[in-house]
């Protein structure tokens, strides 16, 4: 049994019809799963739609990340890991590899991933404190990213609903159900008129990777958006009120960063300049892609980029992945039929 960590989901509902949502529990272990509440109906009692601790059960569901990483092939991630192996082998040309050499080469990508994750954790924590109204003193490495965030926040003064907010969708037919934790949720008041309102929730995902936005980032965010939309929209299954579809949209915010050049990369730039050539953007990209120092600390930039994600466009991709996951998951520990022929 894994370790349980409660994730708050309260404070998201636009009305009082369904009452406060129970917490979900994140279970750490070999696979990332959550325990989520399900509404139980009591025979003979009127359906009020209110969450009642005496009428709530739980069910275990996979995390959004667990579904996507199981089903979707991360080709760029594979290429990045292979790059560490290629560079390690090249640096050992002509040598007899010892066990420690092999361990060092294979650990290269893990070491970079851990350093990158540490930076991401610090950026996430600083943003959470800012959104909570607390004063922060960011370290020198992440300070440029925080300056970029503060400008973004001025341009998007939406009401902050919560950070590290749990969302979930219960099992439904072919879908196995899923859950996850959102970096931040905002409420955009939009433009209100007598006839219409553009108000919506905005789900934000903070990214600090160096290579841009990946396909699985977009698909995961669409899943979070749909789960939140289901939670904040009144559900006739649990309440006698008609369902009102509350708009939810997603935004991936990536804080730009890069690695410094290796000494060979610096020399390559100097050679171009000494030849009277002013390196253009393409020249710099070629040199940088070949000579970035991935063993050094990331340099966070005073800049960010963002991508709007339409959940209606991308959620079908997650539905397909989740449906496939439902059939793949039981196969992991399923014994072969005794009559099966081994090929």
């Amino acid at each position: 049994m894994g370790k349980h960590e409660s994730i708050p989901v309260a404070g998201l509902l636009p009305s009082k019809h369904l009452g406060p949502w129970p917490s979900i529990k994140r279970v750490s272990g070999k696979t990332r799963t959550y325990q989520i509440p399900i509404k139980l109906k009591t025979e003979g009692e009127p359906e009020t739609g209110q969450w009642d601790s005496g009428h709530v059960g739980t069910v275990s569901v996979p995390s959004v990340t667990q579904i996507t990483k199981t089903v979707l092939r991360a080709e760029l991630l594979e290429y990045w890991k292979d790059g560490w192996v290629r560079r390690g082998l090249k640096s050992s040309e002509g040598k007899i590899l010892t066990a420690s050499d092999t361990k060092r080469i294979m650990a290269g990508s893990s070491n970079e991933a851990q350093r990158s994750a540490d930076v991401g954790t610090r950026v996430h924590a600083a943003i959470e404190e800012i959104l909570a109204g607390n004063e922060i003193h960011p370290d020198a490495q992440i300070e440029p990213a925080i300056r970029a965030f503060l400008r973004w926040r001025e341009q998007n003064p939406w009401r902050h609903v919560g950070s590290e907010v749990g969302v979930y969708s219960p099992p439904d037919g072919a879908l196995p159900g899923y859950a996850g934790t959102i970096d931040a949720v905002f409420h955009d008041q939009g433009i209100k008129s007598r006839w219409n309102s553009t108000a919506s929730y905005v789900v934000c995902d903070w990214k600090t990777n160096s290579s841009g936005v990946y396909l699985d980032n977009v698909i995961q965010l669409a899943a979070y958006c749909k789960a939140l939309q289901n939670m904040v929209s009144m559900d006739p299954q649990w309440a006698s009120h008609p369902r009102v579809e509350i708009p939810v949209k997603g935004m991936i915010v990536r804080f730009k960063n890069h690695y410094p050049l290796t000494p060979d990369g610096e020399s390559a730039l100097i050679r171009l300049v000494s030849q009277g050539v002013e390196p253009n953007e393409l020249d710099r990209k070629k040199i940088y892609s070949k000579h970035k120092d991935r063993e050094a600390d990331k340099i966070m930039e005073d800049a960010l980029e963002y991508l709007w994600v339409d959940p209606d466009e991308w959620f079908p991709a997650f539905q397909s992945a989740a449906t496939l996951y439902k059939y793949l998951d039981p196969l992991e520990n399923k014994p072969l039929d005794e009559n099966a022929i081994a090929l």
Side-chain angles (χ1 to χ4, degrees):
M1 178 64 67
K3 179 182 175 184
H4 290 58
E5 175 189 359
S6 292
I7 310 295
V9 297
L12 295 178
L13 291 175
S15 72
K16 298 180 180 179
H17 291 309
L18 296 182
W21 291 85
S23 294
I24 64 176
K25 294 185 182 297
R26 183 163 51 201
V27 184
S28 61
K30 184 178 179 181
T31 59
R32 176 62 65 86
T33 60
Y34 287 80
Q35 285 190 349
I36 66 171
I38 54 173
K39 185 75 165 60
L40 302 179
K41 293 183 178 181
T42 304
E43 187 175 353
E45 291 187 5
E47 180 58 70
T48 64
Q50 294 285 336
W51 280 105
D52 183 330
S53 60
H55 298 85
V56 176
T58 60
V59 63
S60 180
V61 298
S63 70
V64 171
T65 305
Q66 180 67 27
I67 290 173
T68 55
K69 80 175 185 179
T70 300
V71 175
L72 302 178
R73 181 181 177 186
E75 293 186 71
L76 291 177
L77 183 62
E78 293 173 9
Y79 181 78
W80 166 71
K81 289 182 177 180
D82 289 345
W84 269 102
V85 175
R86 289 194 301 271
R87 289 189 296 273
L89 292 175
K90 186 175 181 180
S91 67
S92 303
E93 280 182 338
K95 292 174 55 179
I96 296 177
L97 291 180
T98 64
S100 61
D101 290 331
T102 304
K103 185 177 180 180
R104 171 181 55 80
I105 292 172
M106 299 305 294
S109 61
S110 298
N111 292 336
E112 181 188 349
Q114 185 59 58
R115 291 194 303 273
S116 182
D118 289 343
V119 173
T121 298
R122 301 204 309 274
V123 171
H124 278 69
I127 291 175
E128 190 171 343
E129 290 296 314
I130 292 170
L131 293 174
N134 299 327
E135 183 178 346
I136 66 164
H137 301 280
D139 60 73
Q141 186 180 13
I142 70 168
E143 186 177 5
I146 300 308
R147 288 200 301 269
F149 170 76
L150 291 174
R151 288 197 306 274
W152 175 89
R153 186 68 176 124
E154 287 180 0
Q155 297 167 5
N156 301 285
W158 307 314
R159 179 175 65 85
H160 177 235
V161 176
S163 296
E164 293 296 308
V165 176
V167 293
Y168 58 88
S169 181
D172 180 21
L175 293 179
Y178 64 89
T181 306
I182 295 173
D183 286 343
V185 180
F186 298 90
H187 188 253
D188 180 4
Q189 302 289 344
I191 302 173
K192 295 181 180 180
S193 68
R194 180 180 178 184
W195 309 109
N196 192 22
S197 171
T198 59
S200 64
Y201 284 94
V202 182
V203 175
C204 286
D205 193 6
W206 318 125
K207 296 296 182 186
T208 56
N209 61 299
S210 300
S211 306
V213 176
Y214 300 141
L215 176 63
D216 60 331
N217 300 151
V218 177
I219 293 175
Q220 288 171 15
L221 186 56
Y224 295 145
C225 288
K226 279 297 182 181
L228 178 62
Q229 185 175 53
N230 288 334
M231 291 171 67
V232 299
S233 300
M234 289 174 282
D235 192 334
Q237 179 183 353
W238 294 340
S240 58
H241 308 276
R243 180 178 177 87
V244 177
E245 203 73 21
I246 305 297
V248 177
K249 49 191 178 183
M251 178 188 282
I252 296 175
V253 179
R254 190 183 79 88
F255 297 91
K256 291 187 175 183
N257 59 86
H258 64 275
Y259 287 99
L261 285 173
T262 61
D264 287 345
E266 295 285 358
S267 298
L269 276 178
I270 292 172
R271 280 197 301 273
L272 280 178
V273 174
S274 66
Q275 295 167 3
V277 178
E278 180 61 33
N280 57 32
E281 188 66 21
L282 182 59
D283 292 330
R284 291 180 181 276
K285 282 185 176 180
K286 286 181 179 179
I287 293 173
Y288 180 73
S289 65
K290 187 176 181 180
H291 297 290
K292 68 178 78 172
D293 186 357
R294 288 188 172 274
E295 295 186 5
D297 288 337
K298 275 184 176 182
I299 299 175
M300 302 302 294
E301 302 174 21
D302 184 4
L304 60 76
E305 59 186 3
Y306 60 86
L307 174 69
W308 282 107
V309 174
D310 180 356
D312 290 332
E313 178 181 356
W314 288 99
F315 186 65
F318 178 78
Q319 286 179 303
S320 298
T323 302
L324 182 57
Y325 178 87
K326 181 177 180 180
Y327 292 98
L328 286 177
D329 188 44
L331 296 178
E332 288 188 1
N333 300 308
K334 185 176 181 180
L336 285 174
D337 187 287
E338 60 180 7
N339 297 318
I341 301 175
L343 300 178

